[in-house]
Amino acid sequence: MGKKHQTPLLDELKKGKWISFVREIERAAEKSERTEDLLGQVEESYRDKVNHWKHGGMAGVKSYGAGMVGRFSEFPDKYPGIKECHSMRIIPSAGFFYNSDFLRKLADISEKYAGGLLNFHGATGNIQVLGMSQAEAEDVFQAVAELGFDLGGSGSDLRTPSCCAGQARCEFANYDTMKICHDLTEEYLDELHRPAFNYKFKLKFSGCANDCVASAARSDLAFIGTWKDKIKINQDEVKNYVKKLNVQKYVLDKCPTKCMWFEGEKLVIDDENCVKCMHCINVLPKALRSGDEKGASILIGAKAPLVTGPRMGMMLVPFYDINEDAKNDYEWLKGLISNMWEFWDEYGVSRERIGELIGRVGLNTFLEGIGLEPIPEMVGHPRSNPFIKFTEDED
Amino acid sequence: MTDETKKKVEDKIVGLVKEYAGKKRFKPIDIVKEMEKEFASEGLTKDDIKAALKEIMDEEKLVYGYAGGSFLALPENQ
Amino acid sequence: MAEEIKKKRLTDIGPHDYNDYLSPMIKKNYGKWAFHEILDPGTMVHVAENGDKLYTVRMGSPRLVSGSFVRDICDIADKYCGGHLRFTTRNNVEFLIEDEKNVEPLKKDLEKMGYNVGGIGNIIANIVHTQGWIHCHTSASDASGVVKSVMDELYEYFVEDKLPSKTRIAFACCLNMCGSVSSSDIAIVGTHRKPPRIDAERLRNLCEIPSTIAACPTNSIRPDTVDGKPGVKVNEETCVFCGSCYTVCPAMPIANAENDGLSIWVGGKVSNARTKPTFSKLAIPFIPNDPPRWPGVVDAIKTILNAYKEGAEPGERVGEWIERIGWSRFFKITGFPFTKYHIDDFRLAETTMNYSSHTRL
Ligand code: HEM
Ligand code: HEM
Ligand code: HEM
Ligand code: SF4
Ligand code: SF4
Ligand code: SF4
Ligand code: SF4
């Protein structure tokens, strides 16, 4: 049997050493016939240099306002298999750890009810099952739920939180990223499923300043592992490194605060001036380890360009004692988040991310609103212009 | 919140969406704020309103729509 | 019949407990890892305080995968890893191996099956990317095809450690930038160059005028009367072709076959190591779409990478290298023309905050 659609342009992309997504779509089409039409439409896009998806139209499962993204072909008659080609977002297992039993069953579901195509993972970190119709959505949802998995966020809601592998497989992790990610997802499940925000809100957890989940660039609230006390130094291992590496040039000279030096053969660190950037530990992992008083910095407001330009996360809480707060079921953090959401609900406008709101009303107004005091860690430097608005509320 | 007040809130929300269908897209957040004001005298909280909204969705009297942001829609218009 | 007993509908069950998926060695050493070593670009070993060794083999993935792909990796995981595996943030597959003897056979099996092993160390990691023509209506270009074309050409840098530092490339097919493109060593971004077209008829049925107006970052959308009925008009002088209005209003399509293409951005970074996180900056404002292989984009990436490889010191990320040598030399070395588009004329966010986790405790 020949192919349903000729795809000379896509066929070009089956050549070469890197694994081919075209081949993957073809393999999916072998199991789920409708996906042949996806190949046909994408080939047409390659010819026309423009996408052929229609905008508008919804998809969802009962009672949830999130977890599915609707997608409709522009040419339903020509490509009936993808007339409806919706995707479903599934909350991943924290740290993206799985076993073969679950993955096989999920592959079966995707072929039985959808296009046999999956994303591991979407940019937010959801597993995505692609290519189902609205009529099939409930079946996919229930089949996935029987495996113990639920749908993730989409729309104006809390997006599926995500985290790095953390303590499961990384010695750099300063807190249990997977636990807090899991616990807060559970805590805020309603906010994931039932959009009630001005716009999206993201939580991401990285165990150290290497920030492997890019939390500081894309989450409204980023948790970046850090420590309060001294870097632990194994001087024997330092000596071993010195034998094979120019430690002065590649470690000491690159330290952003120049807070490390040698006294004879002994490495000395002025920990009070260390900004916990991880560079020295990255390069000398056997010799250096973060301290014992561990927690996380909380940065706020990162987002992608739309609508008013990209933002990086900015320092809000220099040291959050996660271990202590976890004992009280994250009482402090939940209070902080609830204050933020209240403020955002009250003063934010539609499609305004919390970082944009802070930009609009000013950090001071925001801090007052959520009950935090201004501290020097929040700024790169104090103001340099003299337009001070003195207020009456001085003590 | 008594079942009776809950019913009142639900009817009000569904009524609003019906009345403005095709003219205005109510974002859940705006409805919640609106209802909070409307039913403040009866002592309803934000969580009460959200619970009523959840029930509306469970019964599929309304569904969620999305166009850059989430909004409330009538099932038949989807 | 069993089916007749109506099953209770499952809902709001929450995230799955990850503990179900951790291998015995990971459970035992959770939070007790001592150090790790990169053995080669496809393999690393994590050593626990008690001496346990966990080997990881990393494999590339196109992110968009078939059920058959999933079964392939499951077979490998069953054969060598007790069924345990994970994915990385950048969509790679990682096999978690407790018995060192299994490392080489596993890699051989993967290679036999045509899969790519690599991506650890001073390499080009898998390119994080978006949906493109395969699954998004806003896209100014395809995603997977550009990524495949670039990775085919840069394959050696995925399997061999020969760059000054790790190099993160990311791709987004429109300014929505699903996926933290705005702070990558090299970013490829789909770019529209013409204002949206307004379908007045559909707009009346499909769109809410106030939210459409509010969607525009440059206040370019104004209320208008079309045939005596309410509508909108776009000020083409101020429109920056961002597509935000289309996201809110489907009757304002912006995709345009002749004028859409890609832009290239460089020098961003998320990690706080050494220098603070930074956004990527514009290197090339526009390269036309040229499917199926986008040679213009591939050449541009190669030019940047070669210059970086030549010029950077060991350990220096692309942005750190450019900061050191200066932007004027960057343009000189690469030969990319510096144009009026490289000069920012959009509103600048406040610059005095501490956009980092750097802090003295
Ligand atoms: C109709 C338009 C859009 C579609 C179809 C779309 C689609 C997607 C998809 C499929 C993902 C991956 C989701 C996941 O993994 O769960 C994603 C992520 C993302 N989207 Fe969109 N998106 C749209 C609009 C937007 C807009 C308007 C913005 C920004 C203003 C945006 C910013 C992002 C970002 C930043 C991510 C990555 C999030 C992360 O890394 O955590 N998207 N989008
Ligand atoms: C009623 C209001 C003000 C008065 C009476 C005033 C008066 C003066 C005087 C007498 C000087 C010294 C001129 C000289 O060197 O010969 C000066 C300099 C200057 N003023 Fe003002 N000024 C006023 C408001 C402002 C404001 C609002 C600004 C800025 C926003 C400003 C910015 C400056 C600057 C930049 C200089 C030059 C300083 C220098 O070069 O050393 N002035 N002003
Ligand atoms: C040598 C020390 C390092 C170790 C042991 C390490 C470990 C890891 C681990 C375990 C992951 C997978 C995390 C996940 O998917 O959740 C990862 C990914 C990542 N790391 Fe690191 N990291 C190190 C240094 C760095 C540095 C210095 C940077 C940035 C400058 C960095 C940036 C990233 C990024 C962007 C990812 C996502 C890449 C991917 O998933 O393929 N890492 N790293
Ligand atoms: S962010 Fe830090 S702790 Fe987490 S995986 Fe990356 S290097 Fe390890
Ligand atoms: S963590 Fe960073 S700031 Fe601290 S000593 Fe090491 S290199 Fe210096
Ligand atoms: S970057 Fe833009 S075009 Fe690409 S998937 Fe995201 S919203 Fe769609
Ligand atoms: S494309 Fe962007 S700038 Fe242009 S009218 Fe639409 S929202 Fe405004």
Side-chain angles (χ1 to χ4, degrees):
Chain A
M1 231 179 61
K3 279 162 66 168
K4 184 166 172 195
H5 304 283
Q6 290 308 309
T7 57
L9 293 171
L10 288 180
D11 289 346
E12 278 300 308
L13 289 167
K14 290 196 291 192
K15 301 171 187 161
K17 282 195 166 150
W18 186 250
I19 181 166
S20 168
F21 69 99
V22 176
R23 182 78 196 103
E24 287 305 316
I25 303 178
E26 285 182 354
R27 288 171 90 189
E30 285 163 18
K31 306 272 180 176
S32 179
E33 217 183 299
R34 68 182 82 177
T35 298
E36 299 215 6
D37 283 341
L38 180 65
L39 281 167
Q41 181 178 307
V42 174
E43 175 74 14
E44 188 153 339
S45 280
Y46 268 66
R47 223 165 33 234
D48 302 349
K49 302 190 193 179
V50 70
N51 81 77
H52 290 302
W53 296 104
K54 210 157 54 183
H55 189 348
M58 285 305 305
V61 299
K62 190 172 102 178
S63 177
Y64 286 11
M68 279 189 77
V69 175
R71 197 58 85 236
F72 300 82
S73 171
E74 195 181 344
F75 310 119
D77 298 331
K78 203 160 159 193
Y79 305 115
I82 53 166
K83 176 169 182 273
E84 293 178 57
C85 187
H86 312 319
S87 55
M88 188 175 275
R89 299 180 176 184
I90 300 168
I91 304 175
S93 154
F96 301 145
F97 285 88
Y98 301 103
N99 65 20
S100 51
D101 177 53
F102 163 68
L103 291 179
R104 278 206 186 89
K105 286 179 177 150
L106 188 64
D108 292 344
I109 293 172
S110 83
E111 286 164 359
K112 184 165 171 203
Y113 302 107
L117 278 170
L118 303 118
N119 275 162
F120 286 101
H121 293 79
T124 310
N126 294 293
I127 303 172
Q128 300 197 106
V129 177
L130 279 71
M132 76 195 71
S133 68
Q134 176 60 44
E136 292 159 324
E138 180 67 18
D139 289 337
V140 182
F141 175 37
Q142 290 304 304
V144 166
E146 270 169 35
L147 300 180
F149 281 76
D150 200 350
L151 304 196
S154 65
S156 312
D157 70 353
L158 177 66
R159 296 304 179 85
T160 309
S162 74
C163 64
C164 75
Q167 295 183 338
R169 204 212 43 199
C170 183
E171 69 273 23
F172 295 161
N174 289 297
Y175 67 93
D176 191 343
T177 54
M178 285 167 36
K179 180 171 186 329
I180 188 172
C181 182
H182 178 89
D183 290 353
L184 291 186
T185 309
E186 207 148 53
E187 170 71 25
Y188 293 122
L189 204 55
D190 219 31
E191 309 299 340
L192 239 81
H193 290 154
R194 298 176 180 80
F197 291 159
N198 288 307
Y199 205 18
K200 60 184 87 168
F201 195 94
K202 295 181 179 173
L203 294 172
K204 292 192 195 288
F205 304 89
S206 279
C208 76
N210 286 329
D211 198 0
C212 292
V213 288
S215 66
R218 52 184 193 160
S219 50
D220 300 272
L221 217 50
F223 293 76
I224 299 181
T226 189
W227 63 95
K228 264 184 157 175
D229 52 341
K230 290 176 184 304
I231 292 179
K232 291 186 249 179
I233 309 176
N234 178 334
Q235 298 289 356
D236 292 337
E237 289 291 350
V238 173
K239 285 190 196 106
N240 287 336
Y241 277 114
V242 168
K243 281 179 214 145
K244 53 187 184 188
L245 178 80
N246 187 340
V247 172
Q248 180 68 42
K249 178 167 180 196
Y250 293 119
V251 183
L252 275 54
D253 293 353
K254 300 259 179 187
C255 168
T257 58
K258 304 285 177 289
C259 66
M260 35 191 358
W261 58 86
F262 278 108
E263 288 177 0
E265 291 203 329
K266 190 169 156 228
L267 180 70
V268 183
I269 300 178
D270 173 10
D271 285 278
E272 272 185 57
N273 204 26
C274 162
V275 291
K276 332 298 177 203
C277 83
M278 287 301 290
H279 173 65
C280 57
I281 301 179
N282 285 339
V283 184
L284 312 174
K286 286 188 187 171
L288 304 178
R289 308 214 45 190
S290 62
D292 290 321
E293 275 180 73
K294 297 174 178 191
S297 297
I298 305 179
L299 278 62
I300 189 164
K303 58 177 286 293
L306 290 180
V307 180
T308 66
R311 299 178 71 100
M312 287 283 185
M314 61 194 195
M315 178 61 71
L316 187 71
V317 178
F319 188 82
Y320 163 50
D321 192 338
I322 295 187
N323 291 332
E324 198 50 42
D325 203 29
K327 286 185 205 149
N328 307 318
D329 198 21
Y330 307 106
E331 192 182 335
W332 182 86
L333 180 64
K334 285 194 276 190
L336 182 75
I337 291 178
S338 144
N339 290 350
M340 269 178 207
W341 285 349
E342 286 287 329
F343 184 86
W344 187 36
D345 277 2
E346 186 72 25
Y347 300 103
V349 300
S350 180
R351 293 188 84 222
E352 186 174 47
R353 295 279 287 269
I354 202 159
E356 291 168 305
L357 171 63
I358 297 171
R360 184 163 61 81
V361 302
L363 183 59
N364 278 317
T365 310
F366 178 70
L367 291 177
E368 253 169 57
I370 64 167
L372 284 184
E373 292 295 319
I375 47 170
E377 283 85 351
M378 291 173 180
V379 297
H381 58 74
R383 76 157 72 219
S384 54
N385 71 68
F387 308 119
I388 305 175
K389 172 72 181 160
F390 288 101
T391 53
E392 304 273 306
D393 58 3
E394 304 292 316
D395 293 329
Chain B
M1 183 172 52
T2 63
D3 283 352
E4 203 180 317
T5 21
K6 195 169 191 177
K7 176 97 182 35
K8 237 165 57 185
V9 179
E10 287 179 30
D11 289 349
K12 181 87 196 173
I13 297 176
V14 177
L16 271 174
V17 175
K18 277 204 176 118
E19 187 182 338
Y20 285 93
K23 295 184 207 97
K24 181 167 168 52
R25 284 180 183 154
F26 285 102
K27 286 139 196 106
I29 183 172
D30 294 338
I31 281 279
V32 172
K33 277 191 209 166
E34 200 63 29
M35 294 299 111
E36 250 184 307
K37 266 185 238 146
E38 176 105 17
F39 291 93
S41 56
E42 308 196 17
L44 295 196
T45 63
K46 189 185 263 176
D47 287 339
D48 292 332
I49 314 279
K50 280 190 179 171
L53 193 56
K54 176 170 187 297
E55 197 151 302
I56 293 175
M57 295 295 167
D58 285 346
E59 289 166 11
E60 297 184 276
K61 287 184 194 154
L62 297 177
V63 297
Y64 286 100
Y66 181 81
S70 304
F71 62 89
L72 304 178
L74 298 169
E76 56 269 27
N77 288 0
Q78 286 306 309
Chain C
M1 251 164 62
E3 281 93 317
E4 276 165 23
I5 306 164
K6 200 167 177 313
K7 259 198 266 166
K8 194 172 167 312
R9 182 176 188 265
L10 296 170
T11 177
D12 293 275
I13 59 174
H16 195 101
D17 186 355
Y18 52 86
N19 286 299
D20 288 353
Y21 300 127
L22 302 180
S23 71
M25 188 186 279
I26 289 184
K27 272 197 186 139
K28 190 161 128 213
N29 295 298
Y30 200 97
K32 294 181 205 147
W33 297 103
F35 65 92
H36 74 280
E37 266 174 306
I38 297 175
L39 304 176
D40 62 56
T43 324
M44 60 183 166
V45 57
H46 285 77
V47 181
E49 280 157 9
N50 66 8
D52 279 357
K53 287 184 175 175
L54 180 73
Y55 292 85
T56 298
V57 170
R58 194 178 280 183
M59 168 190 135
S61 141
R63 187 174 78 119
L64 177 71
V65 300
S66 64
S68 310
F69 173 99
V70 172
R71 282 186 207 94
D72 282 352
I73 59 174
C74 287
D75 289 347
I76 295 280
D78 282 344
K79 191 164 167 195
Y80 298 111
C81 316
H84 294 283
L85 74 169
R86 72 177 291 270
F87 295 84
T88 71
T89 322
R90 303 186 73 88
N91 314 314
N92 293 306
V93 182
E94 287 187 340
F95 295 98
L96 306 164
I97 308 156
E98 305 200 343
D99 185 348
E100 186 183 358
K101 288 200 298 294
N102 283 336
V103 172
E104 287 311 314
L106 184 152
K107 289 199 302 204
K108 286 222 173 65
D109 275 9
L110 286 179
E111 270 153 26
K112 238 184 287 163
M113 295 162 87
Y115 289 116
N116 314 128
V117 175
I120 306 178
N122 299 320
I123 41 68
I124 296 207
N126 202 345
I127 301 183
V128 278
H129 61 280
T130 48
Q131 308 275 358
W133 290 336
I134 288 174
H135 216 245
C136 188
H137 53 238
T138 321
S139 45
S141 173
D142 189 34
S144 310
V146 181
V147 167
K148 162 86 172 131
S149 303
V150 172
M151 285 308 282
D152 274 343
E153 198 65 28
L154 301 181
Y155 187 71
E156 58 184 306
Y157 296 108
F158 182 77
V159 295
E160 287 172 60
D161 184 318
K162 50 185 188 180
L163 288 168
S165 182
K166 52 182 96 268
T167 305
R168 306 289 183 208
I169 308 183
F171 179 100
C173 33
C174 86
L175 300 194
N176 279 333
M177 295 195 197
C178 305
S180 92
V181 164
S182 47
S183 37
S184 308
D185 292 293
I186 304 176
I188 313 169
V189 179
T191 304
H192 300 291
R193 292 189 303 165
K194 291 287 170 204
R197 302 175 298 281
I198 301 171
D199 182 339
E201 183 70 38
R202 286 183 72 217
L203 188 133
R204 273 196 289 279
N205 300 325
L206 281 173
C207 310
E208 194 186 45
I209 290 175
S211 57
T212 306
I213 291 173
C216 180
T218 57
N219 292 321
S220 302
I221 306 177
R222 292 273 176 257
D224 191 20
T225 318
V226 188
D227 306 329
K229 294 183 197 133
V232 300
K233 63 180 170 205
V234 168
N235 180 350
E236 305 198 348
E237 294 290 306
T238 53
C239 172
V240 293
F241 327 119
C242 71
S244 179
C245 49
Y246 180 58
T247 302
V248 174
C249 173
M252 296 178 72
I254 190 162
N256 176 313
E258 289 77 49
N259 286 288
D260 288 348
L262 295 153
S263 52
I264 310 280
W265 307 70
V266 293
K269 139 181 198 299
V270 183
S271 148
N272 282 270
R274 304 173 302 282
T275 49
K276 293 183 181 184
T278 50
F279 290 119
S280 318
K281 284 99 183 163
L282 184 64
I284 303 178
F286 188 78
I287 302 175
N289 269 327
D290 194 1
R293 286 253 166 213
W294 282 269
V297 174
V298 173
D299 280 350
I301 306 281
K302 274 168 74 180
T303 304
I304 297 167
L305 215 60
N306 284 336
Y308 166 62
K309 204 174 131 193
E310 288 285 299
E313 287 185 356
E316 243 175 4
R317 296 279 295 262
V318 171
E320 294 169 305
W321 160 64
I322 299 176
E323 280 305 316
R324 183 168 57 77
I325 65 165
W327 283 96
S328 56
R329 272 183 72 205
F330 169 79
F331 283 99
K332 201 182 261 168
I333 294 170
T334 54
F336 301 150
F338 187 87
T339 69
K340 64 177 181 180
Y341 300 125
H342 290 90
I343 296 175
D344 195 348
D345 51 9
F346 197 65
R347 80 184 74 152
L348 268 176
E350 326 79 89
T351 52
T352 57
M353 308 298 166
N354 181 2
Y355 293 96
S356 76
S357 71
H358 287 193
T359 179
R360 290 165 181 82
L361 296 169

